[in-house]
Amino acid sequence: MTPTLTTTGKAALAQILDEAAVHLPGLGMVVTSVDGVLFKHYAGKVDVLDPQSPTFDEHTIQFFASTTKLLTSVAILQLIDNLEYGLTLDSPASLHLPQLATPLRIFQGLDEHGAAIYGSTNTEITLQMMLNQTSGFGAEFASEVVAWKSTLKAGEKGAGFVNSCKIDNLIHTPIVSEPGTVYQYGNSADLESYMQEHVFMPLGMTSTSYLPFEGELAKRLMPLRWWNEDLKRYEVLSDQFPGLTLPRVISEIEYPVGGGGIFSNPSDYSLLLRHLLISYKANTASSVLKLSATTIESLFKPTLPLEARKGLNAMIGTVYEAEEVGDLDWTTGMCFFGKEKRGGWGR
């Protein structure tokens, strides 16, 4: 059955977006299927702090945060399908990142003096674990990582956030669980040139980049704003939330954040989603992305062991209305709501 949207349904969605844009920064929504775009609508202003701000439209570029993960997964899966590199999903990450070789230190908590307590890992981190968020690296705002960072002094290696795009903050933060056992949401490098050549340009994604801070893209870039709950107003985002203090100058970026550093817009991103959906439904390889049918299928299949699903359910189960552990899972690139659950509703 081909998905459709009625005229009434489209009008209802547009009304929801228009009403939300009265109180929120500009926003947009694109609904696509194998057959094409079913719905597209944009509303609001590019900058809520500027009374003269232009209207948010399909050319506006936004910070796309964690939707970056699927793009990064596609790039890694391309390398796996390119037999020249000899990679599989079960390949140890340490083959190319010796810093991840077993044993690694695991942060286990603080002693009575506030000093860090460490154990050691027994399991190799695989590419599969890196893609489905079970590598053992903790979520940046989870209690374990916050506790570990509390033992560091300002400027010490690992003290900053991964979104700062500084290498020291990435490679010096310890893992917090045995690899392959716990789901931990996180952000895991010249990615930009590779992605432009092998993903964005082949799909026609001309408004997507890790580095949209110069030239034509910069003119269409939506500024980041912060909602001050106490004052009930938007402010310029500066240092209110360290995890979102993203560099906006290319010279300040040591590496693009593969788990949350992309800038794009709904129309551009929908090109990727539709392309993957077409290949998946037809069970065919993608000559455009150079991905096999089996690899594309992995993007639509659950991968987490039961114990790891508990962490995913605890983090976003309420948002997705998951009724029990197992409703939600993670593929090699994105969150997944099982089709057999809730009458077939899936994402």
Side-chain angles (χ1 to χ4, degrees), residues 45-116:
K45 296 181 177 181
V46 172
D47 188 353
V48 291
L49 297 182
D50 180 6
Q52 306 302 317
S53 170
T55 302
F56 186 100
D57 61 24
E58 64 179 336
H59 303 293
T60 306
I61 298 174
Q62 302 169 274
F63 173 49
F64 256 51
S66 283
T67 61
T68 308
K69 291 176 173 58
L70 175 58
L71 292 165
T72 302
S73 292
V74 167
I76 293 174
L77 292 172
Q78 285 177 330
L79 298 179
I80 290 175
D81 273 358
N82 186 334
L83 300 181
E84 175 183 347
Y85 298 104
L87 297 174
T88 71
L89 287 172
D90 295 323
S91 294
S94 59
L95 288 178
H96 295 277
L97 291 171
Q99 302 95 323
L100 297 182
T102 302
L104 293 170
R105 58 176 184 167
I106 301 180
F107 174 68
Q108 297 180 323
L110 305 175
D111 64 19
E112 64 273 20
H113 303 295

Side-chain angles (χ1 to χ4, degrees), residues 46 54-63 205-208 212 214-223 248 263-265 268:
V46 172
T55 302
F56 186 100
D57 61 24
E58 64 179 336
H59 303 293
T60 306
I61 298 174
Q62 302 169 274
F63 173 49
M205 298 173 66
T206 57
S207 295
T208 301
E214 297 178 354
E216 191 271 334
L217 293 184
K219 299 174 184 177
R220 299 190 277 128
L221 185 60
M222 183 179 187
R248 307 283 282 193
F263 293 80
S264 186
N265 61 39
D268 239 32

Side-chain angles (χ1 to χ4, degrees), residues 198-212:
H198 298 282
V199 181
F200 304 156
M201 291 300 102
L203 289 173
M205 298 173 66
T206 57
S207 295
T208 301
S209 173
Y210 287 96
L211 309 170

Side-chain angles (χ1 to χ4, degrees), residues 231-252:
L231 299 178
K232 304 298 182 185
R233 70 182 187 190
Y234 283 102
E235 302 172 343
V236 173
L237 177 65
S238 54
D239 58 355
Q240 299 96 327
F241 195 60
L244 287 178
T245 306
L246 304 168
R248 307 283 282 193
V249 179
I250 292 177
S251 61
E252 296 178 359

